[in-house]
Amino acid sequence: MYHVLDYQSTLELLDETGRFARFEKQKKVEYLQDNIIAHQDCAWGDGKILLNYRCHPGRAVDRYRSGYKTYILLALHEVKNRGDVDSFHITWKMKDGFLKPDGFWETIISQKTRQLSINIIFPKKRLPLRVIVEETNHRKTHIITSEERNVLPDGRLKVSWAKKNPRLFENYLMKWLW
């Protein structure tokens, strides 16, 4: 139905206990078919997820669960045709999702994607001891280097990892140890 030109996601851990978090993603897509009227989003995680879910463009009109994933149906406000481009901006909050001494955030590539960027922002009072990215299907591990770490002006740490043309159906796990 579409391919992803650019996918950027940011998980922000809001407190040192891991109790509160916020997720934001921006996904630029190009439609490959005519007469598209809806878009499907997907989420999963521990604790309470999808709190205060917001998206633009479109409006969430339905949710359903299949296994450990929750799918969200977004009604678009106009018909999209082949070659049209949309830039989705989606956010939600989570509660009680990152309470363990280790954590991870998973990104699954389910459409052809040109550019992938995954970011995690850690609270100033609980910085990670180690961060890696695993390509689970390909069984490859990337150790996050100092170039991929950025201390923000308020003392929080932003860890970023990017990949051009990520493998279709690959699972990218950004894992950390607090």
Side-chain angles (χ1 to χ4, degrees), residues 5-176:
L5 303 173
D6 187 39
Y7 180 86
Q8 297 178 27
S9 69
T10 302
L11 172 66
E12 183 179 1
L13 302 168
L14 299 172
D15 67 302
E16 63 270 9
T17 65
R19 188 160 186 224
F20 299 101
R22 180 180 176 275
F23 180 66
E24 175 180 6
K25 64 180 162 182
Q26 296 180 51
K27 184 163 67 168
K28 185 175 182 180
V29 304
E30 180 180 11
Y31 295 98
L32 302 174
Q33 299 175 2
D34 291 335
N35 301 312
I36 305 298
I37 60 170
H39 183 80
Q40 181 175 275
D41 192 17
C42 183
W44 56 90
D46 292 336
K48 295 179 181 175
I49 64 170
L50 297 171
L51 302 174
N52 198 27
Y53 182 91
R54 300 202 185 280
C55 65
H56 180 79
R59 183 172 58 90
V61 294
D62 195 15
R63 285 186 192 182
Y64 62 94
R65 196 155 171 89
S66 178
Y68 69 94
K69 295 180 183 178
T70 299
Y71 293 91
I72 304 100
L73 182 64
L74 305 177
L76 302 176
H77 296 295
E78 58 185 40
V79 176
K80 301 296 179 174
N81 291 305
R82 182 183 181 98
D84 289 347
V85 174
D86 260 334
S87 292
F88 289 93
H89 182 248
I90 297 170
T91 64
W92 68 78
K93 293 182 180 178
M94 294 170 266
K95 185 177 177 185
D96 298 330
F98 301 95
L99 302 175
K100 298 177 183 175
D102 59 346
F104 70 92
W105 188 252
E106 182 179 35
T107 302
I108 299 174
I109 303 300
S110 56
Q111 292 90 18
K112 182 179 173 189
T113 302
R114 288 191 190 159
Q115 180 64 39
L116 169 67
S117 176
I118 304 168
N119 305 285
I120 299 181
I121 300 174
F122 292 92
K124 179 180 180 178
K125 293 185 178 178
R126 194 167 183 197
L127 301 177
L129 302 172
R130 183 177 136 201
V131 182
I132 63 170
V133 175
E134 287 184 3
E135 295 181 49
T136 60
N137 296 337
H138 196 247
R139 298 178 190 240
K140 192 172 183 181
T141 300
H142 308 273
I143 297 172
I144 297 298
T145 65
S146 58
E147 292 84 34
E148 297 162 316
R149 295 170 174 253
N150 181 27
V151 177
L152 301 175
D154 62 3
R156 296 178 301 152
L157 177 69
K158 181 178 181 181
V159 176
S160 302
W161 186 78
K163 184 163 182 74
K164 288 186 179 184
N165 300 311
R167 208 175 271 100
L168 189 60
F169 305 116
E170 182 62 81
N171 299 337
Y172 295 93
L173 286 174
M174 189 175 276
K175 299 169 84 172
W176 65 90

